[in-house]
Amino acid sequence: MFSPRDKHHIPLVSLGPSVFSESTKSAEKVIQLLRCDVLKNGKIVRDETLWIQGNKIVDGATLFFAGVKPDQVIDLGGATAGQRRPLVVPGFIDVQINGYFGYDFAEQNKLEEGLDVVAKGLLKYGVTSFLPTVVSSLPQTYQEVLPIIDAKRGRRSGHAEIIGAHLEGPFIAPCKKGAHNIDYFRSAPNGFADLIECYGKYLDPSSSVQKDDNVVKIITVAPELEGMLGAIEGLKKEWGDKIAVSLGHTECNYEQAEKSVESGVTMITHLFNAMHPFYHREPGPMGVIGFSSLPRNTKKPFFGVIADGVHTSPSSIRVAYNAYPEGAMLVTDAMAGAGLNGDEFMLGSMHVERKGPMEVVIAGTNTLAGSVATMPFCIANLVKFAGCSLAEAVNAATITPAKSIGIYGKKGSLMPGADADFVILDQLSDADESAFRVARVFFAGEEVFTVA
């Protein structure tokens, strides 16, 4: 807890806990972070000063010349032998969360409560923005769930921000179903019209839905399904970059994957999992991230990886990361069992059970059913698996996911104009690049978590 300095009337706080009165939480409160190591534009800037005004990162020079003084100063200059100065990074973004803390986002009867509980609970892991992900379901489920998610979007005090929804299925391959219920699977013989029929008004360009900020942010599809390439082209024609199409749960070969990128696919859902494996004569989806360029000036897609040590081997993650580090995007693929100590959970309509500390499978099988990993755990693992720096691993949980859904600059950044969502990491070690702790979390300029 801080104590005011009478001379300047500025609270000076260390990395320890702080408590504010309601009057100090005004929209225009100014916070100054001194002697920071800050992750800016993907690189660590040493001995920096970071300014926050209200809910935004601001240019300190502008405040200085305007004569604005901080209401609170946080000095991060301290470090102990063998440990580095705390590092300030953007808030983490998870674009694939099926559930958490006992809640599944496909259960509409508990969805409102679940979204609130998960949005609050994720903050302690440094996750300040996320996409609730709905697995393969009946059209009625999507059409009931999406309005609920839509109503929960936006900035809410003490909650990680719900950016929108990730629809993972039901347009996926039966042979790569993973933990999805095959009874719900569909193809798209009528192209984009079949997507509208399934997902409802949020994809219908003739509806009253705002085109500039659709609740649907990502749709995962298998591009080899009947009519799917035409469906992708139709969706991109109507929605452009407002909705990302991701390749996943697919048996497509390299040629089909390349054609899907030409049609509008910009992402790959949990690379390696539930898809055609990499072979030297047939690289499958992995092949599209290994080329320096693709036909027709298309860009290599971003790709999600679940770095929990179970879904994908460390060697495979190393190969993929080094092929295209700027495209690597950490996702937890968390399901309802994440954050809990139990052994039996639900994923959509599927019963799942814990088989190990980080391994959850469909009951009675060895089929993986989502993850129970946290984002900090995945970040640390990416450092270990890929041999990258901590800063590079954090980029995969901030910059890359923000870019993948078109919100970089507002999220995933600590440059002026960005939302003041940031995490202070401490216990960094010169001897172990993967070592860190989420010490404090700020959302929209408000401190929402302090480690005990």
Side-chain angles (χ1 to χ4, degrees):
M1 181 178 298
F2 62 73
S3 298
R5 295 187 296 167
D6 293 337
K7 182 178 180 180
H8 299 290
H9 304 289
I10 298 174
L12 178 62
V13 297
S14 67
L15 194 57
S18 59
V19 178
F20 312 131
S21 68
E22 288 300 315
S23 62
T24 65
K25 295 182 181 179
S26 67
E28 295 302 314
K29 178 180 178 181
V30 175
I31 302 174
Q32 182 190 38
L33 280 74
L34 290 176
R35 296 193 293 171
C36 302
D37 286 350
V38 182
L39 191 60
K40 286 187 172 182
N41 289 329
K43 305 292 184 181
I44 296 177
V45 180
R46 306 288 183 187
D47 201 19
E48 178 72 308
T49 299
L50 192 68
W51 290 81
I52 297 92
Q53 185 174 33
N55 53 38
K56 293 288 185 180
I57 306 293
V58 294
D59 179 13
T62 301
L63 294 183
F64 175 79
F65 288 114
V68 177
K69 295 183 178 180
D71 300 298
Q72 178 190 0
V73 175
I74 301 175
D75 189 344
L76 298 179
T80 59
Q83 290 188 342
R84 303 201 298 263
R85 178 185 294 168
L87 177 64
V88 183
V89 303
F92 306 147
I93 304 167
D94 196 339
V95 300
Q96 189 171 6
I97 297 184
N98 306 295
Y100 231 103
F101 307 117
Y103 293 92
D104 186 284
F105 294 143
E107 292 185 72
Q108 57 267 46
N109 60 324
K110 295 182 180 179
L111 183 58
E112 288 192 63
E113 177 184 346
L115 289 171
D116 287 340
V117 170
V118 174
K120 290 179 181 178
L122 288 175
L123 292 171
K124 66 183 177 183
Y125 303 123
V127 175
T128 55
S129 302
F130 70 106
L131 297 186
T133 302
V134 185
V135 297
S136 295
S137 304
L138 293 170
Q140 179 183 354
T141 298
Y142 294 112
Q143 293 168 29
E144 292 177 351
V145 162
L146 285 173
I148 298 173
I149 295 175
D150 195 16
K152 291 288 185 179
R153 289 199 295 159
R155 187 181 295 122
R156 295 186 294 156
S157 178
H159 296 72
E161 185 168 349
I162 296 171
I163 302 297
H166 178 169
L167 307 181
E168 188 185 6
F171 297 93
I172 57 178
C175 60
K176 296 296 180 182
K177 63 184 179 65
H180 291 239
N181 190 330
I182 197 171
D183 293 338
Y184 301 146
F185 286 13
R186 300 163 69 97
S187 59
N190 301 305
F192 182 44
D194 286 325
L195 273 64
I196 295 174
E197 180 187 357
C198 180
Y199 301 129
K201 67 178 182 180
Y202 288 99
L203 259 63
D204 187 349
S206 66
S207 74
S208 60
V209 173
Q210 293 283 335
K211 270 205 168 187
D212 60 345
D213 190 22
N214 198 314
V215 64
V216 178
K217 297 301 180 186
I218 303 174
I219 301 176
T220 292
V221 303
E224 74 276 14
L225 295 180
E226 181 186 5
M228 186 49 66
L229 291 181
I232 295 170
E233 292 169 357
L235 183 142
K236 300 307 286 187
K237 179 181 178 181
E238 296 293 345
W239 293 100
D241 295 333
K242 301 296 190 299
I243 300 176
V245 181
S246 188
L247 176 160
H249 287 273
T250 175
E251 183 59 16
C252 74
N253 57 29
Y254 170 76
E255 182 179 357
Q256 292 168 319
E258 186 181 81
K259 287 182 178 178
S260 75
V261 173
E262 292 175 6
S263 296
V265 162
T266 57
M267 298 174 61
I268 301 176
T269 295
H270 46 52
L271 183 67
F272 296 117
N273 297 115
M275 64 182 55
H276 192 296
F278 179 87
Y279 292 128
H280 61 291
R281 292 192 180 94
E282 174 45 69
M286 172 65 187
V288 297
I289 71 169
F291 282 77
S292 58
S293 62
L294 291 168
R296 301 182 186 177
N297 296 316
T298 53
K299 297 179 181 179
K300 293 190 288 187
F302 300 102
F303 61 95
V305 288
I306 309 169
D308 61 357
V310 175
H311 277 78
T312 307
S313 79
S315 296
S316 295
I317 289 179
R318 186 179 306 116
V319 169
Y321 181 85
N322 287 310
Y324 185 29
E326 298 84 2
M329 178 171 58
L330 286 170
V331 298
T332 60
D333 195 26
M335 48 77 67
L340 300 179
N341 295 320
D343 294 323
E344 296 182 1
F345 316 100
M346 293 295 295
L347 176 63
S349 61
M350 309 289 287
H351 290 273
V352 300
E353 59 188 14
R354 190 189 300 270
K355 191 176 180 181
M358 286 291 157
E359 187 173 3
V360 179
V361 299
I362 296 175
T365 76
N366 291 319
T367 301
L368 293 173
S371 165
V372 291
T374 66
M375 186 59 77
F377 182 77
C378 291
I379 291 171
N381 276 348
L382 186 61
V383 174
K384 298 172 186 176
F385 298 169
C388 63
S389 67
L390 176 59
E392 290 168 327
V394 170
N395 290 341
T398 54
I399 292 177
T400 311
K403 287 182 175 179
S404 76
I405 56 174
I407 60 172
Y408 181 62
K410 179 182 180 183
K411 303 289 186 183
S413 171
L414 292 179
M415 299 301 291
D419 288 353
D421 305 343
F422 60 94
V423 182
I424 300 176
L425 307 179
D426 71 355
Q427 297 188 358
L428 285 75
S429 172
D430 292 327
D432 182 359
E433 183 70 12
S434 70
F436 69 91
R437 179 180 68 169
V438 173
R440 297 170 75 169
V441 180
F442 288 73
F443 174 74
E446 176 188 359
E447 187 160 12
V448 291
F449 171 76
T450 305
V451 72

